[in-house]
Amino acid sequence: MIKQVEWSENQVTSQQLAEFENEGRSPQLQYPENQATPAPVEETEEEVELNEPANTNRSVVESVSAIPNQLYERLGLTMPRWLLWITTIVIGIILSGLLVSTLALWTPLWSNLDRTDEDSGTAAKDDVKIPLPGELWSKLSQYQLSRPMNILIMGIEPVRGTVDGSPESFAGKSDSMVLVRLNPGEKSVRVLSIPRDTMIAIPEKGEKGLTKVSDANAKGGPVLAARVVSRTLNNAPIDRYIRISTSGLRQLVDQLGGVEVFVPQSMEYKDSSSRLSINLVSGWQTLNGEQAEQFVRFREPGLGDLPRVQRQQALIAALLQRLNSPTVLPRLPQLTRLMRKYFDTNLKMEEMMALVNFGLNLDRDNFQMTVLPGTFSRFSKDPDSYWLNMTGQQSLLNDYVGVNVPGLKPDMRRVPNLKIAIQNASNQPQLTEKVIAYLKEKGFTNIYKVPDWPDTQRQTQIIVQKGNRQVGVDLQKVLGLGQIDVSAIGDLESDLTIRIGKDWK
């Protein structure tokens, strides 16, 4: 039997998030006017007899059976007594079943699934044995997504003086933020990176003006963070959230045996106040958990948050590739326990299994990433502040968020009119001018070159910076070669980046 996972329960939609403002108000009991006062009941002889002390030798069965007998006599029923008994029993069974079903629906699915004696502190001898995560993961293929869903994922800055994994440890600012959309109909996953310096309005009492989206979690937790992201993206639905501590990222990477990424430049930084020390050399390397944290948190001065968003996307791609490794699949049950300690989420166990099953069967071309469109303001007091620019972004909002904005048009420019960056990764300097000349012959008008990529590549790469894979396909037809990569890892000013490989002749 295939179990399809619905996402209607606990959905963090924009309408439900609106209740956040009223959470702090105390409930008031209202009493109706002209409330009737119960009239005194006259005692009858029969009632006096019922109130007399019962015979202590009477059995429990006799005392319980008196209730339906009394109802039978008082209601003046004409049905046989045996039929009344059967009706009473059937109604009792139905009510009990409804009660059990209600409790099951409201009980978190993972509350006891992976609990151990060490986690709970004590071991009950007669405790009911509940299936372990390993037993559930063995039936992974049974769990499937039933409809599109959006998940807000936040990397939380460490909060000083808190214990890793405690509720207090997740109360800091969001150091990174991505909105992930999974669409089973298209069999696609799309990742929208939201720069932490994105300027937004926080609908909170006493809050005026704009602030950075990274402040939302610190001011109101995941509910407020989801609310402001939803409103910023035209009331986009947000079904679930995941908050990851820096400790969680380190533990995840270590559990996976490290991740292989390309470090484009040497990274050195030391901040005694935040106890953050970064020291990475350039080139391909397998990063452990601590190094992976350094890789995604390093920030170059004067370039805002976008280069760091690019490295975050590079790490996401590396993590997904690592998760698909045959050596990692047997570790999935252990990763569940890790998530319980270092991740804060409202995902249930069966939902996690559906997500993993969906990811394992995902085609590489259907995994796409981009960054929320915007610019840095020259007139802002903070030069790193990032201001949204959604002009011509209807296709992006529809594909990556699942919303349509009335009056917002898609980008209708043809590929020859797009802004295309040429980056040489072939270790053959003469190819740069050769590619530029070839594209100009084909009618391309907005071409420019950028510094060479330090990692030599055998295959030419077409990087779709703005998230629309179709323009990459159109450019591939013109070039006659190139591997399409839909992610924001190309030149920041480009619509498309051609990273020339050795296959260019």
Side-chain angles (χ1 to χ4, degrees), residues 252-259 286 318-335 360:
L252 174 62
V253 173
D254 288 337
Q255 284 290 329
L256 294 175
V259 289
T286 300
L319 284 171
L320 288 177
Q321 185 175 2
R322 185 64 177 157
L323 282 169
N324 284 322
S325 171
T327 60
V328 172
L329 291 179
R331 303 182 190 176
L332 289 178
Q334 288 84 350
L335 293 176
L360 293 176

Side-chain angles (χ1 to χ4, degrees), residues 231-433:
R231 287 193 171 188
T232 301
L233 299 175
N234 198 48
N235 295 326
I238 296 179
D239 302 277
R240 295 288 185 267
Y241 71 85
I242 301 175
R243 294 191 294 179
I244 308 172
S245 67
T246 53
S247 299
L249 175 63
R250 292 195 299 266
Q251 292 289 335
L252 174 62
V253 173
D254 288 337
Q255 284 290 329
L256 294 175
V259 289
E260 188 177 14
V261 297
F262 179 74
V263 182
Q265 63 184 31
S266 298
M267 301 178 183
E268 294 184 4
Y269 177 78
K270 190 171 184 179
D271 185 359
S272 57
S273 61
S274 63
R275 301 178 182 178
L276 177 62
S277 179
I278 299 176
N279 186 13
L280 296 175
V281 297
S282 61
W284 280 101
Q285 50 190 296
T286 300
L287 303 180
N288 59 27
E290 183 178 356
Q291 293 169 328
E293 179 191 355
Q294 297 175 10
F295 180 71
V296 296
R297 295 192 66 189
F298 180 75
R299 186 166 180 167
E300 301 93 328
L303 294 177
D305 196 45
L306 294 185
R308 191 169 62 158
V309 168
Q310 291 183 314
R311 290 192 298 274
Q312 291 168 1
Q313 292 195 359
L315 182 65
I316 290 173
L319 284 171
L320 288 177
Q321 185 175 2
R322 185 64 177 157
L323 282 169
N324 284 322
S325 171
T327 60
V328 172
L329 291 179
R331 303 182 190 176
L332 289 178
Q334 288 84 350
L335 293 176
T336 305
R337 290 194 61 196
L338 177 69
M339 287 188 65
R340 184 179 177 184
K341 182 173 183 180
Y342 294 105
F343 289 34
D344 173 54
T345 179
N346 58 352
L347 278 168
K348 299 176 182 179
M349 178 63 73
E350 62 177 2
E351 296 170 348
M352 291 184 189
M353 291 189 287
L355 294 180
V356 173
N357 185 33
F358 186 78
L360 293 176
N361 295 282
L362 183 69
D363 187 272
R364 181 187 180 279
D365 291 338
N366 289 334
F367 180 78
Q368 303 172 18
M369 297 185 287
T370 190
V371 63
L372 192 63
T375 57
F376 296 103
S377 175
R378 300 177 181 177
F379 305 102
S380 174
K381 295 181 180 179
D382 184 356
D384 292 333
S385 59
Y386 189 74
W387 301 80
L388 296 184
N389 181 7
M390 303 304 293
T391 305
Q393 299 299 333
Q394 178 55 66
S395 297
L396 182 144
L397 286 175
N398 188 34
D399 294 340
Y400 285 78
V401 183
V403 297
N404 290 308
V405 182
L408 186 62
K409 299 179 180 179
D411 188 351
M412 301 300 293
R413 291 178 298 166
R414 297 173 57 247
V415 174
N417 298 326
L418 296 178
K419 199 171 184 180
I420 301 178
I422 309 299
Q423 187 172 49
N424 199 327
S426 67
N427 202 24
Q428 302 176 51
Q430 70 278 7
L431 288 183
T432 302
E433 296 301 328

Side-chain angles (χ1 to χ4, degrees), residues 8-21:
S8 58
E9 295 182 13
N10 302 327
Q11 184 182 24
V12 191
T13 62
S14 58
Q15 294 178 349
Q16 292 170 327
L17 292 173
E19 299 176 358
F20 177 80
E21 294 177 344

